[in-house]
Amino acid sequence: MEDRKIKIHVENLKKNFGALEVLKDMSIDIFEGEVVVLLGPSGSGKSTFLRCLNQLEAATAGSITVDGKNITDKHTDINKVRENIGMVFQHFNLFPHKTVLENIMLAPVELKLMTKTEAKEKGMQLLNRVGLDAKADAYPSQLSGGQKQRIAIARSLAMNPDIMLFDEPTSALDPEMVGEVLAVMKELAAEGMTMVVVTHEIGFAKEVADRIVFMDDGYIVEQGTAQEVIMNPQEPRTIDFLNKVL
Ligand code: ADP
Ligand code: MG
């Protein structure tokens, strides 16, 4: 692990909303190709942490460095940073009046990173990859929740990110659709994508995560392999949380 390249370096990150201190002091290094699963009770700051990683939220204090570049620095072009960091949310946020393929083509074309022809070709490749090439011309309303989330993942991948952030991507899905979304994520992980995943899917965490990070109350309480954190947690707050979700 130690000789691997540090992809994301977070140092003494703090985030307040007014008087509310949400992230109190977080430091972590995430390695290239690493899959980190973030666990923790509701309100512990998991979403805020992910949103700081792609600067949807500005840090109150501390720094975040991605590929050696300090993204919390005022002079950093945050749009360039975001192009490289895909994010998938619990709710898919697809554009309802655009087809599946148009949803996927939109960002690279708008940002002039690809021609329409290139974006279409890339879009079809991605649809194939998430097993939905037959749905290219469908509208989001014609898809199941699991299909919508696979499209949302494909849409993020259209920007060729090298980091993917997932914020409870399966929490809004009917149980029978969770597996198909996790399968796409698992494949991405196997291909070497650097991923930070907030999920309550403990099975996925055990199988796919290189590291589990347990957060509570704005701090990292405990981290390690699944064997360590899930099978043999040391901290009372971790044990208490696992007792509730397992
Ligand atoms: P988690 O994802 O672990 O459930 P969040 O990061 O969403 O936790 O939220 C942590 C705390 O920050 C909660 O108390 C939440 O109400 C608060 N919070 C999150 N976003 C905002 C915001 N934009 N404004 C004010 N408070 C917020
Ligand atoms: Mg959250």
mmCIF file of all heavy atoms in Angstrom, residues 185-234:
data_model
loop_
_atom_site.group_PDB
_atom_site.id
_atom_site.type_symbol
_atom_site.label_atom_id
_atom_site.label_comp_id
_atom_site.label_asym_id
_atom_site.label_seq_id
_atom_site.Cartn_x
_atom_site.Cartn_y
_atom_site.Cartn_z
ATOM 1 N N MET A 185 -20.680 -1.255 -10.231
ATOM 2 C CA MET A 185 -19.658 -0.632 -9.386
ATOM 3 C C MET A 185 -18.475 -1.568 -9.142
ATOM 4 O O MET A 185 -17.317 -1.159 -9.111
ATOM 5 C CB MET A 185 -20.274 -0.202 -8.053
ATOM 6 C CG MET A 185 -21.267 0.943 -8.224
ATOM 7 S SD MET A 185 -22.268 1.185 -6.754
ATOM 8 C CE MET A 185 -21.015 1.597 -5.553
ATOM 9 N N LYS A 186 -18.823 -2.837 -8.980
ATOM 10 C CA LYS A 186 -17.793 -3.845 -8.740
ATOM 11 C C LYS A 186 -16.855 -3.960 -9.938
ATOM 12 O O LYS A 186 -15.641 -4.093 -9.785
ATOM 13 C CB LYS A 186 -18.511 -5.180 -8.502
ATOM 14 C CG LYS A 186 -17.773 -6.143 -7.650
ATOM 15 C CD LYS A 186 -18.713 -7.252 -7.225
ATOM 16 C CE LYS A 186 -18.146 -8.584 -7.615
ATOM 17 N NZ LYS A 186 -19.062 -9.689 -7.244
ATOM 18 N N GLU A 187 -17.448 -3.878 -11.119
ATOM 19 C CA GLU A 187 -16.657 -3.957 -12.338
ATOM 20 C C GLU A 187 -15.716 -2.757 -12.452
ATOM 21 O O GLU A 187 -14.547 -2.896 -12.817
ATOM 22 C CB GLU A 187 -17.624 -3.977 -13.526
ATOM 23 C CG GLU A 187 -17.154 -4.790 -14.687
ATOM 24 C CD GLU A 187 -18.242 -4.842 -15.730
ATOM 25 O OE1 GLU A 187 -19.180 -5.655 -15.550
ATOM 26 O OE2 GLU A 187 -18.172 -4.055 -16.705
ATOM 27 N N LEU A 188 -16.248 -1.595 -12.114
ATOM 28 C CA LEU A 188 -15.413 -0.380 -12.138
ATOM 29 C C LEU A 188 -14.231 -0.522 -11.186
ATOM 30 O O LEU A 188 -13.111 -0.136 -11.507
ATOM 31 C CB LEU A 188 -16.233 0.806 -11.640
ATOM 32 C CG LEU A 188 -16.922 1.704 -12.635
ATOM 33 C CD1 LEU A 188 -17.604 2.838 -11.882
ATOM 34 C CD2 LEU A 188 -15.922 2.254 -13.637
ATOM 35 N N ALA A 189 -14.525 -1.053 -10.021
ATOM 36 C CA ALA A 189 -13.475 -1.248 -9.018
ATOM 37 C C ALA A 189 -12.406 -2.196 -9.561
ATOM 38 O O ALA A 189 -11.214 -1.944 -9.433
ATOM 39 C CB ALA A 189 -14.071 -1.803 -7.726
ATOM 40 N N ALA A 190 -12.866 -3.269 -10.210
ATOM 41 C CA ALA A 190 -11.927 -4.265 -10.746
ATOM 42 C C ALA A 190 -11.059 -3.671 -11.853
ATOM 43 O O ALA A 190 -9.934 -4.103 -12.072
ATOM 44 C CB ALA A 190 -12.694 -5.472 -11.264
ATOM 45 N N GLU A 191 -11.593 -2.655 -12.532
ATOM 46 C CA GLU A 191 -10.829 -1.995 -13.601
ATOM 47 C C GLU A 191 -9.842 -0.970 -13.056
ATOM 48 O O GLU A 191 -9.160 -0.292 -13.809
ATOM 49 C CB GLU A 191 -11.783 -1.328 -14.587
ATOM 50 C CG GLU A 191 -12.532 -2.329 -15.443
ATOM 51 C CD GLU A 191 -13.740 -1.720 -16.141
ATOM 52 O OE1 GLU A 191 -13.889 -0.476 -16.131
ATOM 53 O OE2 GLU A 191 -14.537 -2.485 -16.688
ATOM 54 N N GLY A 192 -9.853 -0.791 -11.741
ATOM 55 C CA GLY A 192 -8.827 0.077 -11.157
ATOM 56 C C GLY A 192 -9.262 1.504 -10.877
ATOM 57 O O GLY A 192 -8.434 2.363 -10.581
ATOM 58 N N MET A 193 -10.556 1.756 -10.956
ATOM 59 C CA MET A 193 -11.053 3.098 -10.637
ATOM 60 C C MET A 193 -10.822 3.408 -9.159
ATOM 61 O O MET A 193 -11.025 2.539 -8.303
ATOM 62 C CB MET A 193 -12.556 3.162 -10.943
ATOM 63 C CG MET A 193 -13.211 4.505 -10.679
ATOM 64 S SD MET A 193 -12.668 5.806 -11.808
ATOM 65 C CE MET A 193 -13.629 5.410 -13.272
ATOM 66 N N THR A 194 -10.394 4.621 -8.870
ATOM 67 C CA THR A 194 -10.322 5.079 -7.483
ATOM 68 C C THR A 194 -11.743 5.447 -7.064
ATOM 69 O O THR A 194 -12.401 6.248 -7.725
ATOM 70 C CB THR A 194 -9.411 6.323 -7.372
ATOM 71 O OG1 THR A 194 -8.140 6.016 -7.932
ATOM 72 C CG2 THR A 194 -9.265 6.760 -5.925
ATOM 73 N N MET A 195 -12.229 4.826 -5.990
ATOM 74 C CA MET A 195 -13.637 5.030 -5.622
ATOM 75 C C MET A 195 -13.794 5.305 -4.132
ATOM 76 O O MET A 195 -13.146 4.664 -3.310
ATOM 77 C CB MET A 195 -14.461 3.762 -5.976
ATOM 78 C CG MET A 195 -14.532 3.516 -7.475
ATOM 79 S SD MET A 195 -15.155 1.885 -8.021
ATOM 80 C CE MET A 195 -16.666 1.685 -7.127
ATOM 81 N N VAL A 196 -14.672 6.258 -3.822
ATOM 82 C CA VAL A 196 -15.088 6.470 -2.448
ATOM 83 C C VAL A 196 -16.598 6.270 -2.435
ATOM 84 O O VAL A 196 -17.328 6.949 -3.162
ATOM 85 C CB VAL A 196 -14.724 7.876 -1.923
ATOM 86 C CG1 VAL A 196 -15.073 7.993 -0.440
ATOM 87 C CG2 VAL A 196 -13.251 8.177 -2.149
ATOM 88 N N VAL A 197 -17.031 5.296 -1.652
ATOM 89 C CA VAL A 197 -18.418 4.843 -1.718
ATOM 90 C C VAL A 197 -19.061 4.924 -0.342
ATOM 91 O O VAL A 197 -18.600 4.275 0.608
ATOM 92 C CB VAL A 197 -18.486 3.374 -2.199
ATOM 93 C CG1 VAL A 197 -19.931 2.911 -2.331
ATOM 94 C CG2 VAL A 197 -17.731 3.182 -3.517
ATOM 95 N N VAL A 198 -20.118 5.724 -0.228
ATOM 96 C CA VAL A 198 -20.930 5.698 0.984
ATOM 97 C C VAL A 198 -22.053 4.709 0.725
ATOM 98 O O VAL A 198 -22.805 4.855 -0.249
ATOM 99 C CB VAL A 198 -21.533 7.087 1.309
ATOM 100 C CG1 VAL A 198 -22.471 6.988 2.513
ATOM 101 C CG2 VAL A 198 -20.435 8.102 1.555
ATOM 102 N N THR A 199 -22.127 3.682 1.533
ATOM 103 C CA THR A 199 -23.180 2.685 1.340
ATOM 104 C C THR A 199 -23.445 1.950 2.640
ATOM 105 O O THR A 199 -22.582 1.887 3.515
ATOM 106 C CB THR A 199 -22.787 1.663 0.247
ATOM 107 O OG1 THR A 199 -23.878 0.763 0.033
ATOM 108 C CG2 THR A 199 -21.556 0.834 0.642
ATOM 109 N N HIS A 200 -24.647 1.425 2.771
ATOM 110 C CA HIS A 200 -24.947 0.554 3.901
ATOM 111 C C HIS A 200 -24.943 -0.911 3.470
ATOM 112 O O HIS A 200 -25.346 -1.787 4.233
ATOM 113 C CB HIS A 200 -26.293 0.927 4.524
ATOM 114 C CG HIS A 200 -26.307 2.334 5.061
ATOM 115 N ND1 HIS A 200 -25.403 2.751 6.003
ATOM 116 C CD2 HIS A 200 -27.080 3.395 4.773
ATOM 117 C CE1 HIS A 200 -25.623 4.033 6.271
ATOM 118 N NE2 HIS A 200 -26.635 4.447 5.535
ATOM 119 N N GLU A 201 -24.494 -1.140 2.219
ATOM 120 C CA GLU A 201 -24.430 -2.522 1.716
ATOM 121 C C GLU A 201 -23.169 -3.186 2.259
ATOM 122 O O GLU A 201 -22.083 -3.098 1.663
ATOM 123 C CB GLU A 201 -24.416 -2.535 0.182
ATOM 124 C CG GLU A 201 -25.688 -2.010 -0.458
ATOM 125 C CD GLU A 201 -26.868 -2.949 -0.243
ATOM 126 O OE1 GLU A 201 -26.653 -4.159 -0.071
ATOM 127 O OE2 GLU A 201 -28.012 -2.454 -0.240
ATOM 128 N N ILE A 202 -23.317 -3.837 3.386
ATOM 129 C CA ILE A 202 -22.150 -4.400 4.068
ATOM 130 C C ILE A 202 -21.524 -5.536 3.238
ATOM 131 O O ILE A 202 -20.303 -5.689 3.211
ATOM 132 C CB ILE A 202 -22.539 -4.902 5.484
ATOM 133 C CG1 ILE A 202 -23.099 -3.730 6.316
ATOM 134 C CG2 ILE A 202 -21.351 -5.551 6.181
ATOM 135 C CD1 ILE A 202 -22.108 -2.635 6.621
ATOM 136 N N GLY A 203 -22.357 -6.265 2.521
ATOM 137 C CA GLY A 203 -21.842 -7.342 1.668
ATOM 138 C C GLY A 203 -20.904 -6.787 0.602
ATOM 139 O O GLY A 203 -19.818 -7.316 0.359
ATOM 140 N N PHE A 204 -21.326 -5.706 -0.030
ATOM 141 C CA PHE A 204 -20.501 -5.038 -1.037
ATOM 142 C C PHE A 204 -19.200 -4.555 -0.402
ATOM 143 O O PHE A 204 -18.108 -4.730 -0.949
ATOM 144 C CB PHE A 204 -21.268 -3.861 -1.639
ATOM 145 C CG PHE A 204 -20.459 -3.017 -2.593
ATOM 146 C CD1 PHE A 204 -20.335 -3.365 -3.931
ATOM 147 C CD2 PHE A 204 -19.824 -1.863 -2.153
ATOM 148 C CE1 PHE A 204 -19.583 -2.590 -4.807
ATOM 149 C CE2 PHE A 204 -19.071 -1.076 -3.019
ATOM 150 C CZ PHE A 204 -18.956 -1.446 -4.351
ATOM 151 N N ALA A 205 -19.325 -3.951 0.765
ATOM 152 C CA ALA A 205 -18.151 -3.419 1.458
ATOM 153 C C ALA A 205 -17.136 -4.526 1.724
ATOM 154 O O ALA A 205 -15.940 -4.389 1.479
ATOM 155 C CB ALA A 205 -18.571 -2.745 2.764
ATOM 156 N N LYS A 206 -17.636 -5.648 2.204
ATOM 157 C CA LYS A 206 -16.745 -6.776 2.518
ATOM 158 C C LYS A 206 -16.045 -7.298 1.283
ATOM 159 O O LYS A 206 -14.880 -7.657 1.307
ATOM 160 C CB LYS A 206 -17.568 -7.931 3.103
ATOM 161 C CG LYS A 206 -17.832 -7.814 4.585
ATOM 162 C CD LYS A 206 -18.398 -9.158 5.027
ATOM 163 C CE LYS A 206 -19.087 -9.083 6.354
ATOM 164 N NZ LYS A 206 -20.010 -10.221 6.545
ATOM 165 N N GLU A 207 -16.812 -7.347 0.193
ATOM 166 C CA GLU A 207 -16.296 -7.981 -1.012
ATOM 167 C C GLU A 207 -15.384 -7.051 -1.813
ATOM 168 O O GLU A 207 -14.394 -7.494 -2.390
ATOM 169 C CB GLU A 207 -17.483 -8.424 -1.882
ATOM 170 C CG GLU A 207 -17.108 -9.338 -3.002
ATOM 171 C CD GLU A 207 -18.317 -9.695 -3.862
ATOM 172 O OE1 GLU A 207 -19.463 -9.410 -3.440
ATOM 173 O OE2 GLU A 207 -18.100 -10.237 -4.945
ATOM 174 N N VAL A 208 -15.733 -5.767 -1.866
ATOM 175 C CA VAL A 208 -15.077 -4.880 -2.826
ATOM 176 C C VAL A 208 -14.119 -3.871 -2.184
ATOM 177 O O VAL A 208 -13.144 -3.474 -2.795
ATOM 178 C CB VAL A 208 -16.143 -4.149 -3.686
ATOM 179 C CG1 VAL A 208 -15.497 -3.266 -4.733
ATOM 180 C CG2 VAL A 208 -17.072 -5.160 -4.351
ATOM 181 N N ALA A 209 -14.405 -3.463 -0.947
ATOM 182 C CA ALA A 209 -13.603 -2.381 -0.369
ATOM 183 C C ALA A 209 -12.175 -2.824 -0.058
ATOM 184 O O ALA A 209 -11.957 -3.889 0.508
ATOM 185 C CB ALA A 209 -14.251 -1.870 0.910
ATOM 186 N N ASP A 210 -11.215 -1.995 -0.424
ATOM 187 C CA ASP A 210 -9.845 -2.201 0.046
ATOM 188 C C ASP A 210 -9.722 -1.712 1.484
ATOM 189 O O ASP A 210 -8.913 -2.196 2.247
ATOM 190 C CB ASP A 210 -8.859 -1.406 -0.817
ATOM 191 C CG ASP A 210 -8.857 -1.901 -2.249
ATOM 192 O OD1 ASP A 210 -8.594 -3.106 -2.437
ATOM 193 O OD2 ASP A 210 -9.135 -1.112 -3.165
ATOM 194 N N ARG A 211 -10.545 -0.714 1.795
ATOM 195 C CA ARG A 211 -10.489 -0.143 3.133
ATOM 196 C C ARG A 211 -11.885 0.333 3.532
ATOM 197 O O ARG A 211 -12.621 0.857 2.710
ATOM 198 C CB ARG A 211 -9.527 1.044 3.141
ATOM 199 C CG ARG A 211 -9.407 1.699 4.491
ATOM 200 C CD ARG A 211 -8.151 2.554 4.618
ATOM 201 N NE ARG A 211 -7.769 3.244 3.410
ATOM 202 C CZ ARG A 211 -7.232 4.480 3.406
ATOM 203 N NH1 ARG A 211 -7.055 5.143 4.525
ATOM 204 N NH2 ARG A 211 -6.873 5.038 2.259
ATOM 205 N N ILE A 212 -12.204 0.112 4.781
ATOM 206 C CA ILE A 212 -13.458 0.617 5.341
ATOM 207 C C ILE A 212 -13.096 1.758 6.285
ATOM 208 O O ILE A 212 -12.206 1.604 7.129
ATOM 209 C CB ILE A 212 -14.174 -0.457 6.192
ATOM 210 C CG1 ILE A 212 -14.276 -1.785 5.456
ATOM 211 C CG2 ILE A 212 -15.517 0.054 6.696
ATOM 212 C CD1 ILE A 212 -15.393 -1.919 4.507
ATOM 213 N N VAL A 213 -13.801 2.861 6.128
ATOM 214 C CA VAL A 213 -13.597 3.997 7.026
ATOM 215 C C VAL A 213 -14.911 4.227 7.760
ATOM 216 O O VAL A 213 -15.945 4.443 7.126
ATOM 217 C CB VAL A 213 -13.191 5.256 6.228
ATOM 218 C CG1 VAL A 213 -13.158 6.485 7.138
ATOM 219 C CG2 VAL A 213 -11.835 5.058 5.557
ATOM 220 N N PHE A 214 -14.858 4.128 9.074
ATOM 221 C CA PHE A 214 -16.072 4.372 9.858
ATOM 222 C C PHE A 214 -16.003 5.779 10.432
ATOM 223 O O PHE A 214 -15.052 6.143 11.127
ATOM 224 C CB PHE A 214 -16.229 3.345 10.985
ATOM 225 C CG PHE A 214 -17.425 3.631 11.855
ATOM 226 C CD1 PHE A 214 -18.704 3.363 11.400
ATOM 227 C CD2 PHE A 214 -17.267 4.213 13.103
ATOM 228 C CE1 PHE A 214 -19.821 3.661 12.185
ATOM 229 C CE2 PHE A 214 -18.377 4.513 13.895
ATOM 230 C CZ PHE A 214 -19.647 4.231 13.424
ATOM 231 N N MET A 215 -17.038 6.558 10.104
ATOM 232 C CA MET A 215 -17.116 7.960 10.557
ATOM 233 C C MET A 215 -18.228 8.128 11.563
ATOM 234 O O MET A 215 -19.277 7.512 11.444
ATOM 235 C CB MET A 215 -17.535 8.840 9.377
ATOM 236 C CG MET A 215 -16.416 9.478 8.614
ATOM 237 S SD MET A 215 -17.135 10.522 7.333
ATOM 238 C CE MET A 215 -17.453 12.005 8.276
ATOM 239 N N ASP A 216 -18.007 8.985 12.535
ATOM 240 C CA ASP A 216 -19.108 9.401 13.403
ATOM 241 C C ASP A 216 -18.844 10.821 13.862
ATOM 242 O O ASP A 216 -17.700 11.172 14.178
ATOM 243 C CB ASP A 216 -19.235 8.450 14.607
ATOM 244 C CG ASP A 216 -20.526 8.678 15.383
ATOM 245 O OD1 ASP A 216 -21.477 9.267 14.807
ATOM 246 O OD2 ASP A 216 -20.585 8.276 16.553
ATOM 247 N N ASP A 217 -19.888 11.607 13.867
ATOM 248 C CA ASP A 217 -19.825 12.951 14.433
ATOM 249 C C ASP A 217 -18.669 13.780 13.863
ATOM 250 O O ASP A 217 -18.017 14.524 14.598
ATOM 251 C CB ASP A 217 -19.700 12.804 15.968
ATOM 252 C CG ASP A 217 -20.000 14.118 16.689
ATOM 253 O OD1 ASP A 217 -20.740 14.939 16.121
ATOM 254 O OD2 ASP A 217 -19.469 14.312 17.790
ATOM 255 N N GLY A 218 -18.446 13.640 12.550
ATOM 256 C CA GLY A 218 -17.461 14.501 11.899
ATOM 257 C C GLY A 218 -16.020 14.068 12.030
ATOM 258 O O GLY A 218 -15.107 14.806 11.652
ATOM 259 N N TYR A 219 -15.795 12.865 12.565
ATOM 260 C CA TYR A 219 -14.441 12.330 12.702
ATOM 261 C C TYR A 219 -14.362 10.933 12.099
ATOM 262 O O TYR A 219 -15.358 10.207 12.084
ATOM 263 C CB TYR A 219 -14.050 12.167 14.177
ATOM 264 C CG TYR A 219 -13.882 13.436 14.952
ATOM 265 C CD1 TYR A 219 -14.875 13.851 15.832
ATOM 266 C CD2 TYR A 219 -12.719 14.190 14.833
ATOM 267 C CE1 TYR A 219 -14.721 15.020 16.577
ATOM 268 C CE2 TYR A 219 -12.552 15.359 15.570
ATOM 269 C CZ TYR A 219 -13.557 15.767 16.440
ATOM 270 O OH TYR A 219 -13.392 16.909 17.169
ATOM 271 N N ILE A 220 -13.155 10.535 11.686
ATOM 272 C CA ILE A 220 -12.901 9.127 11.382
ATOM 273 C C ILE A 220 -12.637 8.442 12.719
ATOM 274 O O ILE A 220 -11.729 8.814 13.449
ATOM 275 C CB ILE A 220 -11.692 8.970 10.444
ATOM 276 C CG1 ILE A 220 -12.022 9.579 9.082
ATOM 277 C CG2 ILE A 220 -11.311 7.488 10.315
ATOM 278 C CD1 ILE A 220 -10.848 9.607 8.112
ATOM 279 N N VAL A 221 -13.479 7.467 13.032
ATOM 280 C CA VAL A 221 -13.384 6.793 14.325
ATOM 281 C C VAL A 221 -12.466 5.579 14.227
ATOM 282 O O VAL A 221 -11.714 5.269 15.140
ATOM 283 C CB VAL A 221 -14.801 6.359 14.789
ATOM 284 C CG1 VAL A 221 -14.731 5.506 16.031
ATOM 285 C CG2 VAL A 221 -15.688 7.582 15.006
ATOM 286 N N GLU A 222 -12.553 4.899 13.082
ATOM 287 C CA GLU A 222 -11.844 3.633 12.939
ATOM 288 C C GLU A 222 -11.727 3.318 11.464
ATOM 289 O O GLU A 222 -12.645 3.598 10.697
ATOM 290 C CB GLU A 222 -12.669 2.547 13.655
ATOM 291 C CG GLU A 222 -12.080 1.175 13.608
ATOM 292 C CD GLU A 222 -12.732 0.224 14.634
ATOM 293 O OE1 GLU A 222 -13.705 0.610 15.295
ATOM 294 O OE2 GLU A 222 -12.249 -0.898 14.745
ATOM 295 N N GLN A 223 -10.613 2.767 11.039
ATOM 296 C CA GLN A 223 -10.480 2.358 9.642
ATOM 297 C C GLN A 223 -9.565 1.159 9.516
ATOM 298 O O GLN A 223 -8.741 0.897 10.384
ATOM 299 C CB GLN A 223 -9.998 3.503 8.760
ATOM 300 C CG GLN A 223 -8.656 4.084 9.150
ATOM 301 C CD GLN A 223 -8.253 5.200 8.199
ATOM 302 O OE1 GLN A 223 -8.297 5.039 6.982
ATOM 303 N NE2 GLN A 223 -7.859 6.331 8.747
ATOM 304 N N GLY A 224 -9.775 0.426 8.434
ATOM 305 C CA GLY A 224 -8.961 -0.760 8.195
ATOM 306 C C GLY A 224 -9.622 -1.620 7.135
ATOM 307 O O GLY A 224 -10.533 -1.175 6.434
ATOM 308 N N THR A 225 -9.159 -2.858 7.030
ATOM 309 C CA THR A 225 -9.786 -3.782 6.085
ATOM 310 C C THR A 225 -11.169 -4.168 6.608
ATOM 311 O O THR A 225 -11.492 -3.934 7.780
ATOM 312 C CB THR A 225 -8.949 -5.061 5.961
ATOM 313 O OG1 THR A 225 -8.901 -5.669 7.271
ATOM 314 C CG2 THR A 225 -7.540 -4.778 5.482
ATOM 315 N N ALA A 226 -11.957 -4.787 5.739
ATOM 316 C CA ALA A 226 -13.274 -5.268 6.170
ATOM 317 C C ALA A 226 -13.119 -6.271 7.309
ATOM 318 O O ALA A 226 -13.895 -6.298 8.263
ATOM 319 C CB ALA A 226 -14.014 -5.902 4.988
ATOM 320 N N GLN A 227 -12.074 -7.089 7.172
ATOM 321 C CA GLN A 227 -11.803 -8.071 8.222
ATOM 322 C C GLN A 227 -11.638 -7.372 9.576
ATOM 323 O O GLN A 227 -12.172 -7.814 10.594
ATOM 324 C CB GLN A 227 -10.535 -8.861 7.847
ATOM 325 C CG GLN A 227 -10.122 -9.942 8.819
ATOM 326 C CD GLN A 227 -11.168 -11.040 8.947
ATOM 327 O OE1 GLN A 227 -11.851 -11.367 7.980
ATOM 328 N NE2 GLN A 227 -11.335 -11.589 10.145
ATOM 329 N N GLU A 228 -10.953 -6.253 9.565
ATOM 330 C CA GLU A 228 -10.717 -5.519 10.806
ATOM 331 C C GLU A 228 -11.960 -4.765 11.276
ATOM 332 O O GLU A 228 -12.415 -4.929 12.407
ATOM 333 C CB GLU A 228 -9.544 -4.525 10.620
ATOM 334 C CG GLU A 228 -8.198 -5.233 10.496
ATOM 335 C CD GLU A 228 -7.110 -4.371 9.858
ATOM 336 O OE1 GLU A 228 -7.420 -3.312 9.263
ATOM 337 O OE2 GLU A 228 -5.955 -4.774 9.951
ATOM 338 N N VAL A 229 -12.494 -3.927 10.394
ATOM 339 C CA VAL A 229 -13.524 -2.973 10.847
ATOM 340 C C VAL A 229 -14.905 -3.626 10.965
ATOM 341 O O VAL A 229 -15.677 -3.309 11.873
ATOM 342 C CB VAL A 229 -13.580 -1.741 9.909
ATOM 343 C CG1 VAL A 229 -14.686 -0.778 10.334
ATOM 344 C CG2 VAL A 229 -12.235 -1.025 9.907
ATOM 345 N N ILE A 230 -15.222 -4.522 10.039
ATOM 346 C CA ILE A 230 -16.561 -5.119 10.069
ATOM 347 C C ILE A 230 -16.576 -6.400 10.906
ATOM 348 O O ILE A 230 -17.477 -6.609 11.706
ATOM 349 C CB ILE A 230 -17.082 -5.396 8.635
ATOM 350 C CG1 ILE A 230 -17.246 -4.052 7.907
ATOM 351 C CG2 ILE A 230 -18.410 -6.155 8.666
ATOM 352 C CD1 ILE A 230 -17.669 -4.151 6.477
ATOM 353 N N MET A 231 -15.561 -7.240 10.723
ATOM 354 C CA MET A 231 -15.558 -8.519 11.426
ATOM 355 C C MET A 231 -15.035 -8.384 12.859
ATOM 356 O O MET A 231 -15.369 -9.196 13.707
ATOM 357 C CB MET A 231 -14.712 -9.555 10.665
ATOM 358 C CG MET A 231 -15.059 -9.706 9.202
ATOM 359 S SD MET A 231 -16.803 -10.025 8.912
ATOM 360 C CE MET A 231 -16.821 -11.783 9.300
ATOM 361 N N ASN A 232 -14.219 -7.340 13.080
ATOM 362 C CA ASN A 232 -13.567 -7.252 14.382
ATOM 363 C C ASN A 232 -13.402 -5.784 14.836
ATOM 364 O O ASN A 232 -12.297 -5.336 15.125
ATOM 365 C CB ASN A 232 -12.197 -7.945 14.258
ATOM 366 C CG ASN A 232 -11.550 -8.171 15.601
ATOM 367 O OD1 ASN A 232 -12.224 -8.187 16.635
ATOM 368 N ND2 ASN A 232 -10.236 -8.297 15.604
ATOM 369 N N PRO A 233 -14.535 -5.067 14.879
ATOM 370 C CA PRO A 233 -14.456 -3.638 15.221
ATOM 371 C C PRO A 233 -13.949 -3.430 16.644
ATOM 372 O O PRO A 233 -14.210 -4.242 17.522
ATOM 373 C CB PRO A 233 -15.907 -3.159 15.081
ATOM 374 C CG PRO A 233 -16.731 -4.382 15.244
ATOM 375 C CD PRO A 233 -15.918 -5.512 14.713
ATOM 376 N N GLN A 234 -13.196 -2.334 16.823
ATOM 377 C CA GLN A 234 -12.575 -2.075 18.118
ATOM 378 C C GLN A 234 -13.289 -0.980 18.913
ATOM 379 O O GLN A 234 -13.272 -0.986 20.132
ATOM 380 C CB GLN A 234 -11.109 -1.651 17.913
ATOM 381 C CG GLN A 234 -10.263 -2.702 17.219
ATOM 382 C CD GLN A 234 -10.161 -3.992 18.015
ATOM 383 O OE1 GLN A 234 -9.825 -3.967 19.197
ATOM 384 N NE2 GLN A 234 -10.486 -5.119 17.394
#
